């Protein structure tokens, strides 16, 4: 296989996405093409996905129980989408693909299906979607590791102290939504299985950026969201082993999950639930959301992850090298500068409140990033070491008026990001640090906004 040079990669066209031609006004006057650099929150939908959905829309129908042509067509599309996702994740033949609303919904579904007495082990570094759903189980929260090897050792030590005869689950991210760093998922899965535990992978940030094989990583379940995989909002996936899911009560009770319902002589009802994925898909499913996920899976596969990963590394290098030229910028990291990562980078700027800095990037340069604690509060607080930032003209949402705040700035990008967007971002960071903001800002409803008064 030939190795692409930096020059080759810069010429590789990003995948077409919606919103690429949107312009936004600047407070300093005029308009500029919007630079969407908040992919870690929600990636723009691929044009291919939108076109596929638009082509299907006239044939829209309810699935599974309709005798009409459109219902049958929609049912085939829905179930074929399940097959596409199964193949995209390289699942085992016996694995189930359950469609949900999001990663958060998927992990809450799995939490509801845990066997009685199950112990859960989760690092404090997780996104809240994978940190918080386990309240009904015995949870062990593990401290943030500083190397991948330390992560494996920490898990092994924790599992060695557990009840060896009871069920246990490990929950881990594939790529951090704060630092972008890749976690040693395969090694953590091996450690979990060696101690009789299962493991679920939060792949919300991994699946859009890297090829993902359930079989190669040897994880028991994987969860991800459509809106981070270049599909519209409102759809997600939980894929993996079926036994715990089949043995649990349905996540939602209702039509579609039930196979047979009969009245009892005492006036009540008896229910026979499905043992397929339908058991946890009650109600009318989000057919368009499911189809959009399948379309995105096909588009990424056809584009080739080798090419996508190589180009993203090119963009990551541009951003990191540019930020390294600004002494006032501190990039946040658990595993160090050499750790492999996806296109997610968080940082703070000396002398700036992060909310103020992010607002200036938007209002003066047309660049959309994110500021705050990124639904990973324990991790960001650990990475910042508890150091509070200076009070700026605008406080973070978490800070009361006049108080110092603890927050960071996150820039994230992916398959649809053109070089110009990251070039403009790096240039804007340098200009803001060197010259300061050109506009006045104030806090409004907890957000930093331009002062137009």
């Amino acid at each position: 296989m030939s190795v692409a040079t930096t020059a080759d990669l810069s010429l590789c066209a990003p995948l077409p996405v919606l919103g690429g031609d949107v312009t936004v006004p600047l407070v300093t006057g005029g308009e500029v093409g919007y630079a969407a650099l908040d992919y870690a929150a929600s990636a723009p939908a691929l044009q291919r996905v939108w076109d596929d959905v638009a082509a299907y829309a006239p044939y829209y129908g309810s699935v599974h129980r309709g005798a009409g042509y459109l219902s049958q067509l929609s049912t085939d599309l829905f179930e074929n989408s399940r097959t596409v996702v199964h193949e995209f994740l390289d699942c085992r033949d016996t694995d189930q693909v359950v469609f949900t609303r999001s990663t958060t919904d998927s992990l809450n579904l799995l939490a509801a299906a845990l066997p009685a007495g199950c112990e859960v082990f989760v690092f404090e570094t997780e996104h809240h979607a994978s940190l918080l759903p386990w309240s009904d189980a015995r949870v062990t929260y593990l401290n943030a590791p500083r190397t991948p090897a330390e992560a494996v050792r920490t898990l092994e030590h924790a599992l060695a102290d557990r009840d060896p005869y009871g069920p246990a689950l490990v929950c881990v991210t594939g790529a951090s939504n704060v630092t972008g760093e890749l976690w040693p998922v395969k090694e953590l899965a091996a450690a979990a299985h060696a101690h009789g535990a299962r493991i679920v992978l939060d792949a919300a940030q991994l699946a859009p950026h890297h090829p993902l094989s359930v079989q190669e990583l040897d994880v028991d379940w994987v969860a991800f969201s459509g809106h981070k995989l270049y599909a519209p909002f409102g759809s997600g996936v939980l894929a993996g082993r079926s036994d715990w899911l089949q043995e649990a009560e349905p996540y939602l009770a209702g039509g579609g999950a039930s196979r047979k319902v009969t009245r009892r002589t005492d006036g009540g009802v008896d229910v026979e639930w499905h043992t397929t994925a339908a058991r946890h898909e009650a109600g009318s499913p989000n057919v368009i959301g499911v189809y959009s996920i399948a379309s995105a899976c096909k588009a990424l596969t056809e584009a080739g992850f080798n090419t996508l990963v190589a180009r993203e590394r090119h963009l990551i290098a541009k951003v990191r090298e540019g930020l390294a030229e600004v002494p006032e910028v501190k990039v946040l990291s658990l595993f160090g500068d050499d750790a492999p990562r996806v296109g997610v980078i968080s940082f703070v700027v000396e002398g700036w409140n992060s909310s103020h800095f992010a607002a200036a990037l938007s209002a003066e340069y047309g660049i959309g990033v994110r500021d705050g604690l990124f639904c990973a509060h324990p991790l960001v607080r650990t990475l910042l070491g508890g150091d509070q930032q200076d009070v700026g003209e605008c406080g973070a949402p978490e800070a009361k008026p006049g108080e110092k705040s603890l927050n960071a700035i996150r820039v994230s990008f992916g398959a649809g990001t053109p070089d110009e967007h990251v070039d403009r971002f790096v240039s804007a960071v340098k200009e803001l640090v060197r010259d300061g903001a050109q506009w006045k800002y104030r806090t409004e409803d907890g957000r930093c906004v331009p002062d137009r008064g």
Side-chain angles (χ1 to χ4, degrees):
M1 182 179 69
S2 62
V3 178
T5 66
T6 301
D8 294 331
L9 294 171
S10 65
L11 295 175
C12 292
L15 294 183
V17 295
L18 296 180
D21 56 354
V22 168
T23 61
V24 294
L26 303 180
V27 293
T28 51
E31 293 186 341
V32 67
Y34 184 62
L37 296 177
D38 194 15
Y39 276 47
S42 291
L46 291 174
Q47 184 67 52
R48 153 77 176 273
V49 172
W50 201 253
D51 291 343
D52 283 349
V53 168
Y56 161 66
Y59 301 93
Y60 179 81
S62 186
V63 304
H64 292 149
R65 294 172 294 280
Y69 178 80
L70 297 191
S71 289
Q72 294 180 38
L73 179 69
S74 295
T75 297
D76 286 345
L77 179 143
F78 186 81
E79 294 303 332
N80 286 338
S81 296
R82 202 187 303 276
T83 300
V84 170
V85 173
H86 192 283
E87 293 173 351
F88 178 77
L89 297 174
D90 189 27
C91 291
R92 297 165 289 260
D93 290 343
T94 56
D95 285 342
Q96 286 186 343
V97 172
V98 181
F99 291 118
T100 66
R101 295 178 299 171
S102 60
T103 307
T104 301
D105 195 37
S106 295
L107 293 171
N108 276 271
L109 163 56
L110 184 59
L114 294 180
C118 187
E119 295 182 75
V120 176
F121 297 83
V122 57
F123 287 92
E124 68 171 351
T125 48
E126 293 292 306
H127 185 281
H128 294 171
S130 48
L131 185 72
L132 302 180
W134 321 106
S135 57
D136 290 337
R138 289 183 290 166
V139 187
T140 298
Y141 295 104
L142 307 176
N143 292 333
R146 286 299 181 171
T147 66
E150 183 184 342
V152 177
R153 289 195 303 269
T154 299
L155 179 61
E156 288 176 332
H157 291 159
L159 291 172
D161 293 334
R162 81 173 190 90
D163 177 0
Y165 301 106
L169 178 70
V170 176
C171 181
V172 67
T173 189
S176 171
N177 78 303
V178 177
T179 67
E181 293 164 319
L182 299 178
W183 276 63
V185 176
K186 188 172 183 177
E187 293 79 4
L188 291 168
H193 293 153
H195 290 85
R198 296 190 179 190
I199 185 168
V200 57
L201 170 63
D202 175 351
Q205 301 296 339
L206 183 64
H209 300 274
H210 275 259
L212 200 167
S213 170
V214 166
Q215 295 191 68
E216 181 180 342
L217 295 174
D218 198 22
V219 294
D220 298 281
W221 293 278
V222 60
F224 69 87
S225 294
H227 72 97
K228 298 184 192 298
L229 194 79
Y230 310 103
F233 289 100
S235 56
V237 167
L238 176 66
R241 301 195 184 278
S242 62
D243 53 350
W244 284 9
L245 298 176
Q246 290 177 356
E247 293 162 6
E249 289 295 305
Y251 185 45
L252 296 173
S258 55
R259 185 175 182 180
K260 182 180 180 181
V261 180
T262 57
R263 286 293 301 271
R264 296 196 305 264
T265 56
D266 64 3
V269 294
D270 288 322
V271 184
E272 180 182 335
W273 303 106
H274 279 293
T275 57
T276 63
R279 184 183 188 89
H280 298 291
E281 294 176 345
S284 297
N286 180 2
V287 182
I288 285 181
V290 166
Y291 182 43
S292 68
I293 285 183
S295 174
C297 289
K298 288 181 180 179
L300 293 174
T301 300
E302 292 169 8
F305 268 108
N306 286 340
T307 300
L308 296 174
V309 169
R311 186 174 187 280
E312 186 169 305
R313 287 174 179 164
H314 157 73
L315 296 178
I316 292 170
K318 271 195 168 193
V319 173
R320 288 179 60 82
E321 289 168 6
L323 294 180
E325 296 174 356
V326 185
E328 294 84 354
V329 170
K330 175 187 175 183
V331 174
L332 306 184
S333 174
L334 268 178
F335 299 153
D337 290 341
D338 296 331
R341 66 193 71 230
V342 300
V344 179
I345 298 168
S346 295
F347 63 98
V348 292
V349 182
E350 182 181 350
W352 282 81
N353 177 277
S354 292
S355 292
H356 186 193
F357 199 90
L361 285 173
S362 174
E364 299 178 26
Y365 297 91
I367 298 171
V369 298
R370 185 154 296 243
D371 65 275
L373 300 176
F374 318 125
C375 292
H377 295 188
L379 172 56
V380 178
R381 294 181 187 281
T382 294
L383 293 173
L384 292 177
D387 294 335
Q388 294 179 325
Q389 299 181 66
D390 294 335
V391 177
E393 294 181 15
C394 290
E398 294 82 7
K400 296 179 181 178
E403 288 186 354
K404 293 184 177 182
S405 64
L406 186 69
N407 61 337
I409 305 153
R410 185 181 70 192
V411 56
S412 53
F413 39 87
T417 304
D419 281 53
E420 187 275 329
H421 286 184
V422 298
D423 291 339
R424 193 196 319 170
F425 166 75
V426 170
S427 176
V429 169
K430 293 178 179 179
E431 287 185 10
L432 283 173
V433 172
R434 183 186 66 235
D435 303 330
Q438 301 179 53
W439 204 264
K440 294 291 185 180
Y441 296 81
R442 61 186 175 84
T443 300
E444 181 179 289
D445 296 329
R447 299 298 307 166
C448 190
V449 297
D451 188 346
R452 301 178 185 277

